[in-house]
Amino acid sequence: MDEEIRARRAACTDTFLGNGLVPPRELLASIDPETEPDTYGDGGVVTELERHLAALLDKPAAVFLPSGTMAQAATLRVHADRRQSRTVVWHPYCHLEQHEGQAHQRLHQLVGRRVGDSERLIGLHDLEEVAEPIAALLLELPQRDLGGALPAWEDLVAQTRWARDRGAAVHLDGARLWEASAGYERSPAAIAGLFDTVYVSFYKGIGALPGCCVAGSDGDVAAVREWRSRLGGTLFALWPGAASALRLLDEGLAEMPARMRHARAIWDALGGVPEVRVVPDPPQTPMMHLLFAASPETFRENARRLAEETGLWVWPSGFATGDPAVVRTELSVGRATLRHKPEAIAEILAGLCM
């Protein structure tokens, strides 16, 4: 974000994106003043959060880590070390493949194997084309780069069964598990029950300070905990992020059904706005991608004018698509979105195309 855009954002007073323009003082206020600190990840609120998360997902244990990049690669390393393969099967848009500098390969000697087509969800037929032994299958729920799409529940069950039948572990990239829970209308524990290990994030949909957990068996979690230390993630004090997560987790999870309904209402309101298309159509979770019939220049100028004239912050620019007359954005439905009527959001979105 360049300085001009940063200054524009700082001058805005409202938004309907995600959990909103949350200033640092509000994030810090999510930490209970009576929080009991940990020491190097042991005891206090860190242990309390780990136990709470394990119970929420109905897993024997959980471990708190400072980042998902550290957490997921380490978890997959643990699965590979227990098996006769270094290969992990995942979608082409897998976060480890796209955004982590190939850390899985350079730090953990893992081999990522992409299956299926980048513009659709993995299907069982894609997995059945894999002949080599694999250490793990990684599935992301929902698939963020496809607008928050979810496989049908019976497809998900079949895919996890395929991996287990081959002796492989099944790992869930559940950075947005809370949104997937609303989309499936199933508890987080019901979804987690299909997986050996589950990664969850606390700063995205929940809106807490950065931090995450991995939940699974006692043995897998203990091994991930050791890797946390080896990778420099066992800080002297991990309590700020853990305290913020513990304070906001249940509240955010309870709000997800309302966010799901609001996402569908926004989609419905956009039915009369042909310049804006929703992906997937309709939304399957409390998030969606939006395709605007506008050039990148038109979109940027409209977003700038909206911010300067009304104080409403939206995306400063859209992502390019294969069509120079279409840009793409991602709308996560959060606490800030709920404060805005779907019809008003649809009207603003239409205005970004003019």
Side-chain angles (χ1 to χ4, degrees):
M1 187 183 296
D2 65 33
E3 289 303 315
E4 187 273 332
I5 293 176
R6 194 184 306 275
R8 189 193 313 159
R9 185 181 189 277
C12 286
T13 56
D14 196 11
T15 185
F16 54 75
L17 305 184
N19 289 319
L21 303 171
V22 183
R25 64 179 180 275
E26 288 188 20
L27 270 177
L28 292 175
S30 67
I31 301 174
D32 187 336
E34 303 302 318
T35 292
E36 182 182 350
D38 65 293
T39 303
Y40 290 112
D42 182 45
V45 71
V46 173
T47 297
E48 185 180 356
L49 173 64
E50 291 171 345
R51 290 173 177 168
H52 181 71
L53 194 280
L56 179 64
L57 300 185
D58 196 21
K59 295 294 186 186
V63 56
F64 181 76
L65 299 97
S67 81
T69 298
M70 177 184 293
Q72 296 211 88
T75 302
L76 295 171
R77 167 68 178 264
V78 168
H79 290 316
D81 286 349
R82 300 192 193 284
R83 292 165 177 84
Q84 301 301 309
S85 173
R86 310 302 295 176
T87 300
V88 181
V89 170
W90 55 43
H91 189 275
Y93 280 143
C94 175
H95 196 278
L96 284 82
E97 176 79 22
Q98 296 291 323
H99 304 294
E100 299 182 10
Q102 299 300 298
H104 66 277
Q105 182 182 51
R106 301 184 70 172
L107 297 180
H108 299 288
Q109 297 77 54
L110 299 175
V111 178
R113 175 164 175 172
R114 291 173 288 179
V115 298
D117 183 85
S118 60
E119 296 308 315
R120 61 169 174 80
L121 294 169
I122 291 175
L124 183 60
H125 62 285
D126 297 314
L127 299 177
E128 290 173 339
E129 294 179 358
V130 178
E132 68 174 308
I134 67 169
L137 168 65
L138 181 153
L139 296 173
E140 179 186 354
L141 299 177
Q143 194 78 49
R144 177 193 177 184
D145 289 301
L146 297 181
L150 291 172
W153 182 257
E154 56 271 21
D155 293 341
L156 181 61
V157 171
Q159 291 173 34
T160 58
R161 184 184 300 120
W162 172 88
R164 288 216 174 86
D165 288 347
R166 295 170 61 93
V170 194
H171 173 71
L172 172 59
D173 178 346
R176 295 167 180 80
L177 171 60
W178 326 117
E179 285 86 346
S181 177
Y184 278 130
E185 296 184 351
R186 295 175 184 265
S187 70
I191 301 171
L194 298 178
F195 296 84
D196 296 292
T197 49
V198 178
Y199 151 72
V200 296
S201 174
F202 300 121
Y203 81 86
K204 296 182 176 73
I206 299 302
L209 286 166
C212 64
C213 270
V214 171
S217 70
D218 288 324
D220 286 345
V221 168
V224 173
R225 193 181 296 275
E226 288 188 344
W227 274 107
R228 183 185 70 180
S229 180
R230 293 185 187 110
L231 295 168
T234 306
L235 310 179
F236 173 71
L238 289 166
W239 59 265
S244 178
L246 191 64
R247 162 70 178 77
L248 296 175
L249 176 57
D250 291 347
E251 175 184 311
L253 185 56
E255 194 176 70
M256 287 298 164
R259 297 187 190 185
M260 183 72 248
R261 292 190 295 272
H262 211 65
R264 289 292 181 92
I266 293 169
W267 164 77
D268 189 58
L270 284 169
V273 183
E275 299 86 0
V276 184
R277 292 193 291 120
V278 177
V279 178
D281 182 9
Q284 297 174 9
T285 54
M287 67 175 298
M288 67 194 80
H289 283 190
L290 302 170
L291 296 174
F292 294 84
S295 69
E297 296 77 14
T298 296
F299 187 94
R300 282 196 298 270
E301 177 59 23
N302 286 333
R304 181 197 62 78
R305 184 170 59 251
L306 184 68
E308 292 178 352
E309 293 179 359
T310 71
L312 182 72
W313 175 255
V314 295
W315 314 269
S317 61
F319 293 104
T321 67
D323 186 338
V326 176
V327 297
R328 187 181 189 113
T329 67
E330 177 181 294
L331 174 60
S332 294
V333 177
R335 290 189 293 272
T337 325
L338 293 178
R339 295 195 293 266
H340 293 259
K341 293 182 178 180
E343 297 77 14
I345 292 175
E347 183 178 352
I348 292 166
L349 295 177
L352 292 172
C353 299
M354 296 177 181

